[in-house]
Amino acid sequence: DRLASVFTKIIMSQRDDTGKLAIDDDVWGAFKDKILSDKDVASGMLGSQLLGPKWKALLEQVKASAGSPFQSWEDWLKKNKKKLREAIKEELPAAVKDKLPSHGATQADISREVVKVLANERSTVQAQMDKAQKTVQSLAQEVSKIKSSPGMAKDDVSKLVQTAIKKAIGDAKLESAAKSAVKSKSTSPLDTELHGRMNHFAFGNGVQIDVSLTSPTWVIAEEPVKFWSKAKPKPKQRPQFIREPWAALTPWDDAGDCWCAGVIGHNDTRQPADFGIQLGHLVIPEYLVVEHIHPDATVDAAAMPRDFEIWATIGGPAADRVRDWAVASFPATYAEEMVNASPVIAQTIRNGFIKIGEFTYRHLEREGGIMAHRLSSELGASLRAATDQLLIRAVNNQGADHTCFYRVRLYGEVVGMVEKAGVAE
């Protein structure tokens, strides 16, 4: 009852294809803020006794210095209300409105899910809360010592306090990055669903990289050596990575275990990052799985891909059907003005590729950075869109001059084998 009273009546969330509730990260972030800022809520839900009056004031100081990394509970309530207004149109009859929140979750749904998570992770949550208390207590003592130091100017005291707070935040971020690096290798619910199925992008299943369709590997530009300079050159603080495209098809362990494509073309124009794949057999694609390291666990966070496109060559009588379906499904891509304005799209179509999917990659902590995009069921059910050649395209990224692929996998229905005469397995 205590937990249910915290949540509003309807919470906008998502359900997967099986109807299982998936609570968005912003809900968890707002809920965390509620726990941290309300010691009564935390005490009632986690059974832990938090700090006294200093807790809220000091937490707010840490939040402010960190650039407010938490989404406040009040902000989330406003956003949730706005989403509900968009989902439930005012002009619809009441009977229809009652049925609309199928993409939302009730207060009871969220409460049950949170109780389940807290039950499974109680010891972890308790340890985190205990550690948070100790961190805040230690920070409070350090701040108190600084403020009571004799003979210090007010500005000096302020600077030392800010330094202490920033150090505490930095330590927390380092710990978060370490945990994220481990978590990035954990199995997500979506990954579990695909367990035991054939990954068609595995080298053991006959996949090859089509270098003619793959973007050039990003090369770090070296600064020219100044022979007349007496100063010792400083080592470049640039990210390092595996320099071969095969890295994007294999398991990874840490930052840099990836392949990165350069996306700055001639005349400083931005290009997509393309990855050409030749399969060992005909497949009707069903899932494309993208993995990426946690942004806090790498110095190269801006290289994380964002918008993806999936293109394939389709042979036989199905080609025309799939092409007609693609034009209807992705009108913006196939619009005449777009094809004329984009040499990249025009060349891709001339090469015989048909667009079969698009999505935006989101790094979700609860999934360990593993995102499984399900392609349209029509590709298999009615179109029988079998392919042995795909082009995985990262249209853009988070702002870097290169895009990195940590791992990409493909799952789908095998419909036939392709002879690979003269190719050594």
Side-chain angles (χ1 to χ4, degrees):
D1 292 341
R2 175 63 174 153
L3 182 60
S5 67
V6 174
F7 291 104
T8 185
K9 296 297 181 185
I10 297 291
I11 296 92
M12 293 302 297
S13 189
Q14 300 291 330
R15 294 181 185 274
D16 59 24
D17 296 332
T18 64
K20 183 180 177 182
L21 179 66
I23 302 178
D24 292 338
D25 279 358
D26 57 354
V27 179
W28 285 115
F31 183 54
K32 183 190 293 184
D33 177 76
K34 183 67 173 174
I35 291 176
L36 290 172
S37 60
D38 188 337
K39 70 187 183 75
D40 293 329
V41 172
S43 179
M45 293 177 191
L46 303 176
S48 61
Q49 187 62 44
L50 300 184
L51 294 176
K54 290 184 179 180
W55 168 266
K56 187 172 182 179
L58 194 53
L59 181 66
E60 289 303 319
Q61 192 174 14
V62 172
K63 283 184 184 181
S65 298
S68 298
F70 308 102
Q71 178 182 10
S72 76
W73 181 253
E74 291 74 16
D75 287 344
W76 174 78
L77 286 175
K78 290 177 184 176
K79 290 181 181 178
N80 184 68
K81 191 173 182 180
K82 182 179 178 182
K83 289 180 181 179
L84 281 172
R85 283 203 201 100
E86 293 171 354
I88 305 177
K89 305 298 183 183
E90 296 298 330
E91 66 271 20
L92 293 180
V96 178
K97 289 181 185 179
D98 291 340
K99 299 186 180 201
L100 268 179
S102 57
H103 53 292
T106 66
Q107 182 188 64
D109 289 335
I110 294 288
S111 297
R112 279 194 297 270
E113 189 69 18
V114 172
V115 167
K116 189 191 303 181
V117 171
L118 290 181
N120 293 335
E121 304 292 338
R122 188 180 186 86
S123 60
T124 302
V125 173
Q126 181 67 60
Q128 290 176 346
M129 294 300 292
D130 290 344
K131 189 163 187 176
Q133 285 187 46
K134 292 178 182 177
T135 300
V136 173
Q137 284 176 329
S138 175
L139 182 57
Q141 291 171 0
E142 188 171 351
V143 168
S144 179
K145 286 181 182 178
I146 293 171
K147 288 185 176 181
S148 61
S149 299
M152 289 188 67
K154 184 177 179 180
D155 288 345
D156 292 335
V157 170
S158 179
K159 287 178 182 178
L160 285 175
V161 168
Q162 291 300 318
T163 300
I165 291 174
K166 287 179 180 179
K167 181 180 181 302
I169 294 168
D171 291 344
K173 284 185 175 180
L174 284 174
E175 183 177 356
S176 172
K179 289 180 179 177
S180 298
V182 174
K183 186 179 288 187
S184 64
K185 295 189 66 183
S186 66
T187 302
S188 74
L190 286 171
D191 206 31
T192 301
E193 181 183 336
L194 298 171
H195 180 69
R197 297 191 60 181
M198 183 187 295
N199 170 22
H200 301 293
F201 281 1
F203 286 109
N205 290 326
V207 72
Q208 297 180 54
I209 297 168
D210 190 334
V211 294
S212 68
L213 297 170
T214 300
S215 297
T217 297
W218 179 57
V219 178
I220 301 175
E222 296 291 343
E223 293 182 356
V225 178
K226 298 178 181 178
F227 294 102
W228 60 86
S229 175
K230 295 181 179 180
K232 283 188 176 181
K234 295 181 179 179
K236 292 185 72 66
Q237 299 299 315
R238 300 296 298 273
Q240 302 297 317
F241 56 92
I242 299 172
R243 304 185 67 83
E244 299 295 335
W246 56 259
L249 301 182
T250 54
W252 59 278
D253 290 310
D254 213 334
D257 294 347
C258 59
W259 170 71
C260 302
V263 296
I264 304 298
H266 297 295
N267 299 322
D268 291 332
T269 56
R270 294 189 73 86
Q271 304 289 330
D274 285 349
F275 197 52
I277 302 292
Q278 183 69 49
L279 300 178
H281 36 265
L282 286 171
V283 173
I284 297 176
E286 295 176 0
Y287 289 92
L288 186 78
V289 179
V290 176
E291 302 178 26
H292 200 84
I293 194 169
H294 193 289
D296 290 343
T298 172
V299 297
D300 202 21
M304 183 169 68
R306 188 172 61 193
D307 296 319
F308 277 89
E309 294 180 348
I310 308 165
W311 296 75
T313 58
I314 309 293
D320 290 338
R321 296 197 304 271
V322 177
R323 189 175 293 106
D324 291 342
W325 171 86
V327 171
S329 300
F330 311 106
T333 299
Y334 283 91
E336 185 177 352
E337 57 270 24
M338 175 61 77
V339 175
N340 291 335
S342 174
V344 173
I345 292 178
Q347 185 61 51
T348 303
I349 294 174
R350 282 198 297 270
N351 287 341
F353 283 87
I354 301 172
K355 188 174 180 178
I356 61 172
E358 63 179 17
F359 66 98
T360 298
Y361 173 77
R362 293 178 61 205
H363 190 289
L364 300 179
E365 286 198 43
R366 65 169 178 268
E367 306 292 354
I370 300 171
M371 181 174 179
H373 170 71
R374 179 164 189 160
L375 286 85
S376 173
S377 59
E378 292 181 67
L379 293 173
S382 56
L383 299 172
R384 304 304 295 168
T387 181
D388 69 337
Q389 187 179 37
L390 292 109
L391 177 64
I392 309 304
R393 171 170 290 164
V395 179
N396 47 39
N397 57 31
Q398 303 300 323
D401 61 354
H402 58 285
T403 298
C404 294
F405 296 84
Y406 271 79
R407 194 182 184 190
V408 186
R409 289 178 278 159
L410 180 79
Y411 296 87
E413 176 188 350
V414 178
V415 296
M417 301 302 292
V418 178
E419 293 294 330
K420 299 290 182 183
V423 177
E425 297 293 340

